C-alpha cells in the first residue's frame, strides 16, 4: 500500500487559497442570509408593532394540538394578558378572556383549519377584558401543510368601534325610515282631518261675519261654539304637527324684536273667555311695560296662551292666575303662577315628556300632554328657556326667559284686516279643487269682494283647459287634486306659453314642511293650510291682486 505523496509547495498554497476563498464566499452568503433574516424579522417586528391587531403562526397537529411559533407583541395588550409572562404565552393563554358563549367556537378553529387547508376563514368572537369590558374581535386565517403539521397563519383585531359604528348606522337608517313613515302618516292624517275642519270652521266664521238679521244672538252663540270646537280640534292637530316639525328641525321661525306688552295682551285676550267660564281671575301685572324681546310673534303668543290656558285649566273655582314681567340682565323673564292643584316632585320630573299627562287622564280636563313639550322647545329655539316650581295642592309657577331687545329694533305690525272690500280692482280667480265643500266655502269668501269673479275647475286637466281659454289673474290650487297633484299642475302651467306666469296660491290640508317647501320652490306665491282662516285668505288674495302701484 502506497502512502499519499505530499503536494508540492506551490500546489499546496493554491489549494489553501482556494479553500480560504470558498470559506470566505460561504461566510459572505451566510452573512447575506443573516442580514435578510434580520431585515425580515425587523419588518415583521415593525409590522406587528404598528398594525392594530395580532399576527400569529401556530402549528397544528393532526389531533388538533397547537404549538405557538410566533405571535406579535400586541397580543398581551389587546387581550390584556399583563399577568402572563410573554415568554410563556401559548395559543390557549387567551382563552381566559373569551366570552363563555364563544369559547367553544374559538377552540374549534384549529381543528377546522386542519380540515380545510388553503381555505381562508373569517370569524368573530367576543372577549371580556378586565379594563375595557366586552369587546368584539374579528379574525382571518388560513392553513397550509408543513410536514406532519398544518401551519396556521392568521390575523386578529379589535373591531368593537367598527361594529358600534355599523350598529349606529343601521339604527340611524332605521330611524330615518321611521321618520319618513311618520311624516307620511302625519301628512295623510293632516289632510284627512283638515279637509272637513275646513268646512266646519270656515262656514262658522262666515256665519259670524254675516251682518243680516236672519240669525239671533242665540244662533250666533251656537255658531261660536261650533267654531270653538273646531278650533280646539285644530289646535290638537297643530300641536302634533308642531312637535313633528320641531323634532325634524323644520319649524320656520321669524325671530325679531317685539313689544312684549302687545303679545301679552293678545294672549290674555285669547284666554279671557276660558278664565271667565272657569271662574278664575286673571291678574296681569304687565300693563304699559317698556320691555321688548327677541322672539317669533306667533310662537311667543302660542307659548303664553299655552301657559295661561294650563294655569286656568288646572286651577280651582275662584282661583287666580298671575302674569308678571321683570328684567334679568340681558334677558326678560315672564312669570305665570296659579293657585291650582300643583304637582308632586315625581310629576315635575316627567313634566316635559311628550304625551305624558302626569296621571290626570281621568280628571275630565282636556289635553294631549305635548303642549309644555312644545313650549320648552320653542323657547329653546328662540334663545330662551323655562323653569318650573310647584307643590302639590299649592299651585305652580312657570318662569320663561327670552333675550331682551331694544325698542328701536321693533318692526311695525301689519294692521288688522277688515271684511270690507279692499283696494283691489276687478279680478278673475280660477280655483282648482275637487272637494265640493271647499268650493262652496271659497265661493262664500269671494262674495265678500263683489268685484272678483271665481271660476272653478274640479280637476287638474279641467283647470288647464279653463286657464288656456280664459287666462285668470290668480289661481288657487289644491295640492291633492283627483287626477294630479298641485305641483304637477304647476309644472304643466309653466310648460304652456299660454298659462306660464299666472300667479298661484296653494290651498292644502297638507301642512307638512317638506310639502310647503316644495310648493315654494315650484313658484307658488303663498301656501295656505286648511282649515282656512277666512281673514287670512282675504288678506292673501288682496295682496296678490293689488294693483302694481299699491304693492
Amino acid at each position: 500500500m502506497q502512502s499519499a505523496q505530499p503536494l508540492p509547495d506551490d500546489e499546496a498554497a493554491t489549494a489553501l487559497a482556494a479553500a480560504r476563498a470558498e470559506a470566505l464566499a460561504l461566510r459572505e452568503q451566510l452573512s447575506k442570509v443573516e442580514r435578510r433574516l434580520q431585515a425580515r424579522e425587523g419588518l415583521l417586528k415593525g409590522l406587528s408593532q404598528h398594525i392594530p391587531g395580532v399576527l400569529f403562526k401556530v402549528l397544528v397537529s393532526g389531533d388538533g394540538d397547537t404549538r405557538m411559533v410566533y405571535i406579535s407583541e400586541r397580543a398581551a395588550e389587546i387581550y390584556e394578558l399583563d399577568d402572563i409572562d410573554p415568554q410563556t404565552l401559548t395559543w390557549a393563554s387567551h382563552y381566559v378572556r373569551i366570552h363563555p358563549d364563544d369559547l367553544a367556537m374559538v377552540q374549534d378553529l384549529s381543528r377546522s383549519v386542519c380540515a380545510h387547508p388553503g381555505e381562508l376563514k373569517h370569524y368573530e368572537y367576543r372577549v371580556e377584558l378586565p379594563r375595557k369590558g366586552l369587546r368584539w374581535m374579528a379574525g382571518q386565517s388560513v392553513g397550509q401543510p408543513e410536514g406532519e403539521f398544518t401551519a396556521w397563519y392568521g390575523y386578529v383585531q379589535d373591531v368593537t368601534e367598527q361594529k358600534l359604528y355599523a350598529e349606529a348606522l343601521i339604527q340611524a337608517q332605521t330611524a330615518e325610515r321611521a321618520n319618513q313613515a311618520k311624516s307620511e302618516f302625519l301628512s295623510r292624517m293632516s289632510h284627512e282631518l283638515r279637509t272637513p275642519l275646513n268646512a266646519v270652521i270656515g262656514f262658522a266664521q262666515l256665519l259670524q261675519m254675516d251682518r243680516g238679521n236672519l240669525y239671533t244672538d242665540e244662533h250666533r252663540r251656537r255658531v261660536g261654539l261650533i267654531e270653538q270646537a273646531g278650533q280646539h280640534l285644530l289646535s290638537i292637530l297643530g300641536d302634533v304637527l308642531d312637535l313633528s316639525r320641531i323634532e325634524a328641525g323644520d319649524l320656520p321661525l321669524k325671530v325679531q324684536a317685539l313689544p312684549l306688552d302687545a303679545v301679552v295682551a293678545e294672549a290674555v285676550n285669547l284666554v279671557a273667555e276660558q278664565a271667565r267660564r272657569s271662574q278664575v281671575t286673571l291678574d296681569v301685572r304687565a300693563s304699559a311695560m317698556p320691555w321688548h324681546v327677541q322672539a317669533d310673534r306667533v310662537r311667543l303668543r302660542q307659548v303664553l296662551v299655552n301657559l295661561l290656558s294650563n294655569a286656568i285649566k288646572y286651577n280651582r273655582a275662584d282661583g287666580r292666575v298671575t302674569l308678571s314681567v321683570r328684567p334679568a340682565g340681558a334677558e326678560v323673564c315672564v312669570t305665570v303662577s296659579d293657585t291650582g292643584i300643583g304637582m308632586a316632585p315625581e310629576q315635575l320630573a316627567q313634566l316635559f315628556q311628550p304625551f305624558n299627562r302626569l296621571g290626570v287622564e281621568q280628571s275630565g280636563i282636556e289635553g294631549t300632554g305635548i303642549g309644555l313639550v312644545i313650549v320648552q322647545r320653542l323657547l329653546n329655539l328662540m334663545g330662551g328657556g323655562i323653569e318650573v316650581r310647584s307643590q302639590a295642592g299649592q299651585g305652580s309657577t312657570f318662569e320663561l326667559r327670552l333675550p331682551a331687545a331694544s325698542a328701536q329694533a321693533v318692526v311695525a305690525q301689519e294692521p288688522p284686516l277688515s271684511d270690507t272690500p279692499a283696494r283691489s280692482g276687478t279680478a278673475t280667480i280660477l280655483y282648482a279643487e275637487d272637494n265640493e265643500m271647499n268650493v262652496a266655502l271659497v265661493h262664500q269668501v269671494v262674495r265678500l269682494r263683489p268685484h272678483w269673479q271665481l271660476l272653478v275647475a274640479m280637476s287638474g286637466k279641467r283647470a288647464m283647459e279653463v286657464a288656456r281659454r280664459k287666462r285668470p289673474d290668480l289661481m288657487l290650487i289644491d295640492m291633492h287634486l283627483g287626477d294630479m297633484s298641485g305641483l304637477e299642475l304647476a309644472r304643466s302651467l309653466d310648460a304652456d306659453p299660454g298659462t306660464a306666469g299666472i300667479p298661484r296660491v296653494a290651498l292644502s290640508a297638507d301642512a307638512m314642511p317638506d310639502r310647503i317647501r316644495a310648493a315654494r320652490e315650484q313658484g307658488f306665491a303663498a301656501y295656505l293650510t286648511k282649515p282656512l282662516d277666512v281673514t287670512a285668505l282675504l288678506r292673501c288674495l288682496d295682496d296678490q291682486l293689488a294693483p302694481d302701484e299699491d304693492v
Side-chain angles (χ1 to χ4, degrees):
M1 185 174 181
Q2 295 181 343
S3 60
Q5 297 295 320
L7 292 175
D9 291 344
D10 55 342
E11 291 182 10
T14 301
L16 181 60
R20 287 176 176 172
E22 186 178 352
L24 185 62
L26 183 59
R27 282 200 298 271
E28 183 63 29
Q29 288 179 354
L30 289 174
S31 179
K32 288 181 180 179
V33 170
E34 185 178 357
R35 286 196 298 270
R36 284 199 296 267
L37 289 174
Q38 288 175 346
R40 290 182 180 181
E41 184 178 351
L43 175 63
L44 182 60
K45 185 174 182 179
L47 195 63
S48 67
Q49 287 176 341
H50 293 94
I51 61 174
V54 175
L55 291 168
F56 65 85
K57 176 183 178 181
V58 177
L59 290 180
V60 185
S61 65
D63 57 4
D65 289 338
T66 59
R67 178 166 63 86
M68 183 80 73
V69 176
Y70 172 81
I71 189 165
S72 53
E73 296 176 5
R74 291 182 63 87
E77 175 189 342
I78 288 179
Y79 290 98
E80 295 187 6
L81 298 172
D82 310 344
D83 53 339
I84 299 177
D85 184 348
Q87 302 302 320
T88 64
L89 277 178
T90 67
W91 178 248
S93 296
H94 73 304
Y95 286 173
V96 296
R97 302 290 189 242
I98 295 174
H99 190 284
D101 294 342
D102 298 339
L103 181 57
M105 181 272 291
V106 174
Q107 290 173 329
D108 191 57
L109 283 174
S110 59
R111 287 185 289 272
S112 177
V113 165
C114 288
H116 305 281
E119 180 181 321
L120 182 64
K121 289 190 172 296
H122 299 266
Y123 48 89
E124 287 186 352
Y125 57 88
R126 293 162 292 174
V127 295
E128 293 180 322
L129 305 179
R131 293 187 295 274
K132 293 182 180 178
L134 184 68
R135 308 291 291 180
W136 277 93
M137 300 292 177
Q140 301 177 57
S141 62
V142 64
Q144 296 292 343
E146 192 171 298
E148 58 184 12
F149 296 96
T150 298
W152 179 16
Y153 299 92
Y155 175 73
V156 178
Q157 65 174 331
D158 187 328
V159 294
T160 306
E161 277 68 32
Q162 293 94 312
K163 287 190 72 69
L164 290 175
Y165 174 78
E167 290 173 4
L169 185 61
I170 292 171
Q171 290 173 358
Q173 292 170 342
T174 303
E176 178 63 24
R177 288 193 293 270
N179 274 333
Q180 290 176 352
K182 182 180 72 172
S183 295
E184 289 298 324
F185 168 74
L186 289 173
S187 176
R188 289 194 298 270
M189 183 186 73
S190 171
H191 185 269
E192 294 302 320
L193 291 178
R194 284 174 179 268
T195 297
L197 277 176
N198 187 49
V200 172
I201 296 176
F203 280 113
Q205 290 176 343
L206 285 171
L207 287 172
Q208 292 182 89
M209 294 171 68
D210 192 329
R211 294 174 176 174
N213 297 319
L214 182 61
Y215 301 108
T216 66
D217 290 342
E218 178 61 19
H219 285 136
R220 295 182 189 281
R221 187 187 71 81
R222 293 174 182 176
V223 170
L225 292 174
I226 292 173
E227 183 190 6
Q228 194 176 78
Q231 293 288 3
H232 175 68
L233 182 56
L234 179 62
S235 70
I236 293 175
L237 179 60
D239 281 348
V240 173
L241 293 177
D242 279 349
L243 184 59
S244 175
R245 290 174 181 177
I246 292 170
E247 289 178 341
D250 214 355
L251 183 74
L253 287 176
K254 185 179 180 181
V255 176
Q256 58 187 2
L258 300 173
L260 188 54
D261 57 347
V263 185
V264 168
E266 293 171 7
V268 170
N269 287 336
L270 288 171
V271 300
E273 177 60 21
Q274 178 191 2
R276 186 192 64 78
R277 291 196 310 269
S278 301
Q279 300 177 26
V280 172
T281 300
L282 280 176
D283 181 8
V284 181
R285 303 173 183 177
S287 59
M289 52 188 168
W291 299 293
H292 300 78
V293 295
Q294 287 286 344
D296 180 294
R297 188 184 190 95
V298 172
R299 296 304 179 180
L300 176 55
R301 184 175 61 223
Q302 179 182 353
V303 165
L304 293 173
V305 167
N306 187 287
L307 293 177
L308 290 169
S309 178
N310 280 352
I312 295 168
K313 276 197 306 185
Y314 297 103
N315 217 313
R316 52 181 172 79
D318 299 322
R320 179 176 293 274
V321 173
T322 303
L323 186 150
S324 60
V325 181
R326 64 178 177 83
E331 294 181 319
V332 175
C333 291
V334 181
T335 302
V336 177
S337 58
D338 64 68
T339 58
I341 60 177
M343 290 174 282
E346 57 270 19
Q347 291 175 307
L348 275 174
Q350 304 172 52
L351 186 59
F352 296 107
Q353 293 178 0
F355 304 103
N356 188 339
R357 294 209 58 207
L358 307 178
V360 297
E361 294 85 348
Q362 308 303 321
S363 65
I365 300 174
E366 294 176 338
T368 59
I370 59 175
L372 283 176
V373 178
I374 294 172
V375 163
Q376 183 191 47
R377 297 187 185 181
L378 284 176
L379 288 170
N380 290 339
L381 289 173
M382 292 188 290
I386 187 168
E387 295 178 359
V388 187
R389 300 185 302 275
S390 186
Q391 187 175 348
Q394 301 297 317
S396 302
T397 297
F398 290 80
E399 184 174 273
L400 63 90
R401 306 179 314 281
L402 286 165
S406 65
Q408 290 76 18
V410 173
V411 179
Q413 297 302 311
E414 192 172 5
L417 179 79
S418 167
D419 63 350
T420 57
R423 61 189 180 277
S424 316
T426 58
T428 300
I429 301 170
L430 173 56
Y431 184 24
E433 171 63 80
D434 62 348
N435 185 289
E436 292 183 358
M437 285 193 302
N438 293 338
V439 170
L441 173 61
V442 173
H443 258 302
Q444 294 298 318
V445 173
V446 172
R447 286 180 62 186
L448 296 172
R449 300 289 186 261
H451 46 288
W452 290 347
Q453 178 187 15
L454 183 69
L455 306 177
V456 176
M458 300 295 287
S459 68
K461 180 181 178 181
R462 179 63 178 159
M464 284 295 302
E465 293 172 354
V466 175
R468 289 193 190 104
R469 188 174 67 249
K470 183 176 175 61
R471 184 183 174 94
D473 299 294
L474 178 71
M475 288 188 69
L476 296 176
I477 300 177
D478 181 74
M479 301 306 285
H480 291 273
L481 298 168
D483 58 341
M484 66 178 71
S485 71
L487 295 178
E488 290 171 332
L489 175 56
R491 285 192 285 269
S492 297
L493 290 166
D494 289 339
D496 190 323
T499 57
I502 298 175
R504 50 185 180 257
V505 171
L507 299 182
S508 180
D510 192 339
M512 297 305 290
D514 57 334
R515 308 298 196 278
I516 298 173
R517 185 168 52 250
R520 289 287 193 181
E521 292 171 352
Q522 196 61 48
F524 281 83
Y527 192 108
L528 302 180
T529 57
K530 303 172 185 176
L532 292 175
D533 184 307
V534 171
T535 56
L537 174 59
L538 282 172
R539 176 178 288 123
C540 177
L541 296 179
D542 284 339
D543 289 344
Q544 296 300 321
L545 295 171
D548 290 343
E549 63 270 18
D550 291 337
V551 175

